[in-house]
Amino acid sequence: MKLQVAMDVLTTEAALTLAAQVAPHVDIIELGTPLIKAEGLRAVTAIKNAHPDKIVFADLKTMDAGELEADIAFAAGADLVTVLGTAGDSTIIGAVAAATKHGKGIVVDLIGVADKVTRAREVTALGAQFVEMHAGLDEQAEPGFSLATLLNQGETAKVPFSLAGGVNLSTIASVQRAGATVAVAGGAIYGAKDPAAAAAALRAAII
């Protein structure tokens, strides 16, 4: 299982600082949607230039113009780009076409999708490299939220998936047992007093 850091910081400088701290311990460096909205795709280029050996994940959450938006992100240095699972099939197909052209990949983010299992299977058939079983920050704060629900959906779909939403040192073993391809840790790393140590501990917990 790969480890992905989700960098929900707001400046390229902060992203470069965080990436430098955690890069030795992670496989995938994700530039969160707020960072890309604040700084643009130049932030993607900066991270890829600084860490050419890492998979750089641009969390665009594309909803339309899939081929165009993915093409721009890949040209900027992204290796993986997200399209929302609630987008139409034609948007996902277009994004996959751009990924194929660049030799890169599309991840379909299932945040907000009611039937994640069915949609996961559908978008995988359309060419998504993997899907992201994702509970956003707002959903995680809602009463009754359970990481177990996401884990069960990932297991049931039986397609390659990442898990984002509550991954930390106490939950990462359950993420691996569920068969996730990637564990995505955000606040557990960037919110830690020592992000490098936090990333190292998560890496060590992966068997």
Side-chain angles (χ1 to χ4, degrees), residues 78-101:
D79 299 297
L80 296 171
V81 171
T82 52
V83 178
L84 289 176
T86 50
D89 287 359
S90 59
T91 299
I92 295 169
I93 290 167
V96 169
T100 301
K101 181 175 71 174

Side-chain angles (χ1 to χ4, degrees), residues 146-172:
S146 172
L147 183 66
T149 301
L150 286 179
L151 292 174
N152 181 64
Q153 290 165 332
E155 285 185 285
T156 303
K158 299 188 185 305
V159 300
F161 72 97
S162 65
L163 196 292
V167 175
N168 54 45
L169 200 54
S170 66
T171 61
I172 194 164

Side-chain angles (χ1 to χ4, degrees), residues 11-61:
T11 68
T12 301
E13 182 180 6
L16 285 167
T17 298
L18 179 59
Q21 291 174 305
V22 305
H25 312 293
V26 303
D27 306 289
I28 304 172
I29 299 175
E30 174 191 337
L31 289 86
T33 312
L35 172 59
I36 293 175
K37 286 184 174 181
E39 293 284 75
L41 288 172
R42 61 182 176 273
V44 172
T45 304
I47 293 294
K48 188 62 180 178
N49 286 343
H51 302 281
D53 59 324
K54 298 297 178 180
I55 299 168
V56 173
F57 185 115
D59 191 16
L60 296 191
K61 291 189 175 72

